[in-house]
Amino acid sequence: MYYAQIDENNVVINVIVADDEFIKNMSGQWIKTDIEGKSPKNFAGVGSTWRPDLNGFIPPKQFPSWLLNEQQCLWEPPISMPPLQEGIGYAWNEDEKKWAIFTI
């Protein structure tokens, strides 16, 4: 099993593989995390935040304008990325709050 250790602010500071008995003898607060991210939502990573009210780990916010999708516990841009096209890529432009196009 995977376990995430969280600090007093519910931020993940460590992720380990251990059995339940080992965790019972560890100090600190440990939350079981699923590598497939089914329960709780999302696999814990160092720097992510545990939200017990949403039963999920939320990764660090990538851009100030992005919004939290509470059902998925993931940050999303305020506008959806355009459909993928061959030879074209997209990168978020935070200054303009839109997707910038680049060729691949």
Side-chain angles (χ1 to χ4, degrees):
M1 301 308 267
Y2 291 88
Y3 286 89
Q5 182 181 22
I6 59 173
D7 67 12
E8 62 278 353
N9 297 312
N10 285 351
V11 175
V12 177
I13 56 175
N14 196 8
V15 179
I16 64 170
V17 176
D19 62 26
D20 293 340
E21 286 303 313
F22 181 82
I23 293 298
K24 286 179 185 176
N25 295 316
M26 297 291 290
S27 62
Q29 186 172 357
W30 294 86
I31 309 291
K32 193 178 287 188
T33 183
D34 179 359
I35 192 111
E36 295 180 15
K38 294 179 181 174
S39 179
K41 296 175 194 130
N42 305 321
F43 184 70
V46 173
S48 60
T49 302
W50 168 243
R51 286 280 305 268
D53 58 322
L54 302 176
N55 190 38
F57 291 98
I58 300 171
K61 192 173 187 179
Q62 295 173 293
F63 299 99
S65 66
W66 285 30
L67 307 168
L68 181 62
N69 176 327
E70 291 188 346
Q71 294 201 350
Q72 295 181 348
C73 291
L74 295 173
W75 297 103
E76 295 180 345
I79 57 173
S80 298
M81 186 173 70
L84 296 176
Q85 300 176 40
E86 188 173 331
I88 296 177
Y90 300 96
W92 181 252
N93 181 323
E94 181 64 18
D95 293 335
E96 296 182 21
K97 309 278 188 291
K98 67 178 189 177
W99 291 99
I101 300 171
F102 62 90
T103 55
I104 301 175

